[in-house]
Amino acid sequence: MISKRLEDAINAQINAEMWSAYLYLSMSAYCHDKGYAGMANWFAIQFKEEQDHAQIFYNYLISRGGRVLLKAIDAVETEWASPLAAFEATYAHEQHVTSLINNLMHIAVEEKDFAAQSRLQWFIDEQVEEEENAVEIINKLKMLDGNGYGLYMLDQELAARVYATPSPLAAKA
Ligand code: FEO
């Protein structure tokens, strides 16, 4: 059984992950509108990954005898000044998510919930990757400095990103 405090915090995190999914779907729509189909693909996969994160927390809460409570998802932005601005917003958002995950781990430690700590470790590792991916694209966009051919090539590169089921869900399948 999970503590009420951790149950509440995980429910809040399910909402945060769904909001992240919604944010990245909005960024995908923005990139499509600007003609960057590859970047739109990158954000569409990000959208799926965030839904997966919500699903992992959802499954976990149920496994631990908790009660999932879904709340309203707040509206997200729809416009950015440029693709670079969208990726910079992605990085800032992922840093925020990292702080939320760290806070969940902090609660799990205080509650002496070792099982939750084990599950949260996956998210801690995932956040390193999330931040690193965003920074890598930001650096490339800065290097290109608006060069059309370079942007085309980067867009092609991001079009190649494919979805992979994360291990906590693959194990359930
Ligand atoms: Fe669910 Fe992008 O962290």
Side-chain angles (χ1 to χ4, degrees):
M1 194 70 188
I2 199 159
S3 74
K4 178 79 172 76
R5 185 180 172 212
L6 203 45
E7 180 185 82
D8 289 347
I10 290 177
N11 270 314
Q13 191 63 30
I14 291 171
N15 187 271
E17 300 290 351
M18 292 303 286
W19 190 86
S20 300
Y22 207 34
L23 173 69
Y24 294 135
L25 189 60
S26 184
M27 288 179 175
S28 183
Y30 163 80
C31 290
H32 270 301
D33 188 57
K34 299 297 171 197
Y36 295 109
M39 294 182 198
N41 172 65
W42 192 91
F43 281 117
I45 289 171
Q46 201 68 14
F47 162 65
K48 283 190 192 171
E49 285 195 355
E50 299 302 346
Q51 288 178 290
D52 287 346
H53 296 168
Q55 184 77 61
I56 294 164
F57 278 118
Y58 175 105
N59 291 350
Y60 186 71
L61 205 44
I62 290 172
S63 295
R64 296 289 309 279
R67 172 72 166 99
V68 170
L69 294 171
L70 301 179
K71 306 268 171 62
I73 300 166
D74 290 341
V76 290
E77 281 182 50
T78 55
E79 292 293 335
W80 289 269
S82 62
L84 174 59
F87 280 100
E88 283 178 331
T90 296
Y91 179 47
H93 179 61
E94 288 302 334
Q95 287 178 292
H96 169 64
V97 174
T98 297
S99 73
L100 295 179
I101 298 289
N102 285 345
N103 189 49
L104 280 174
M105 182 63 107
H106 182 73
I107 295 171
V109 168
E110 283 192 346
E111 299 285 318
K112 294 188 171 60
D113 188 329
F114 300 108
Q117 289 171 39
S118 173
R119 170 47 71 230
L120 286 165
Q121 189 59 51
W122 184 87
F123 282 97
I124 287 183
D125 296 340
E126 174 74 3
Q127 282 311 119
V128 173
E129 205 179 294
E130 292 277 68
E131 290 190 25
E132 189 180 15
N133 289 344
V135 168
E136 195 181 306
I137 298 169
I138 288 167
N139 287 342
K140 286 180 181 174
L141 281 166
K142 282 184 176 166
M143 215 183 294
L144 293 173
D145 196 22
N147 176 277
Y149 180 69
L151 281 171
Y152 173 76
M153 294 305 289
L154 178 61
D155 198 57
Q156 295 286 102
E157 182 186 319
L158 299 181
R161 185 184 189 192
V162 291
Y163 170 77
T165 306
S167 57
L169 289 183
K172 279 261 173 195

